[in-house]
Amino acid sequence: MKIAICPGSFDPITKGHLDIIARATTLFDKVIVLVAVNPSKRCSFTAEERLDMIRRSTTQMERVEVDTFSGLLADYVDQVGACAIVKGLRAVSDFEYEFQLVMANRKLHNKAETIFLTTASEYMFLSSSFVKELAEFGGNIADFVPAEIVGDIMERLGKS
Ligand code: COA
């Protein structure tokens, strides 16, 4: 069975992430969406909350599982026997950071390949931070995140 991991902070998951996950399911037998730790980020939602939001956003997707891990991605890849890490590339600016991660992961675990899918053009500018900023200033986030989690985000970040 070919297993791929879609790792990220997902704070919160966006429609851009969902697009990448959906496309990954056409390439692999199982796709694990992994809430991992990026030590340079302070998240607005706990890992459990992010996991729950991803779960509710992917219920219609076959072959998708959701998990969380607080260690090295390379170790998780090993643990589940994944053959690939799938990430979205939005712009050239993503490349340098992603390239560093690929090199590090390859050094730590040289069996899995990292595959980049180019983000759908309507989500090129999208990021979790953008969604959070929009919510904080009372903007409409419905175009950018799955309908199932709009309420969670507005409740946490929107001005009441
Ligand atoms: N559509 C919309 N937004 C997207 C996107 C897409 N297709 N792809 C990425 N983004 C956004 C993310 O939401 C994120 O936004 P933010 O910065 O506002 O939060 C931003 O682009 C960067 O995403 P990404 O590069 O995936 O970073 P991340 O913080 O979401 O995930 C980890 C990074 C968690 C995968 C990485 O830190 C990791 O592997 N951690 C585990 C520990 C480890 O192994 N570290 C490496 C050791 S060398």
Side-chain angles (χ1 to χ4, degrees), residues 9-52:
S9 300
F10 301 110
D11 186 51
I13 188 166
T14 69
K15 286 189 178 177
H17 293 127
L18 272 190
D19 168 62
I20 299 293
I21 295 162
R23 284 158 54 203
T25 63
T26 67
L27 302 171
F28 297 93
D29 302 311
K30 180 158 94 179
V31 174
I32 303 176
V33 183
L34 185 72
V35 175
V37 178
N38 181 340
S40 61
K41 282 185 183 169
R42 264 192 60 139
C43 290
S44 302
F45 296 90
T46 66
E48 276 310 314
E49 287 170 334
R50 286 176 271 152
L51 202 66
D52 179 58

Side-chain angles (χ1 to χ4, degrees), residues 9 16-17 37-38 41 73 87 90 97-98 104 126 128-129:
S9 300
H17 293 127
V37 178
N38 181 340
K41 282 185 183 169
L73 179 59
K87 298 218 66 180
R90 293 167 302 168
Y97 170 68
E98 294 295 348
L126 192 52
S128 301
S129 303

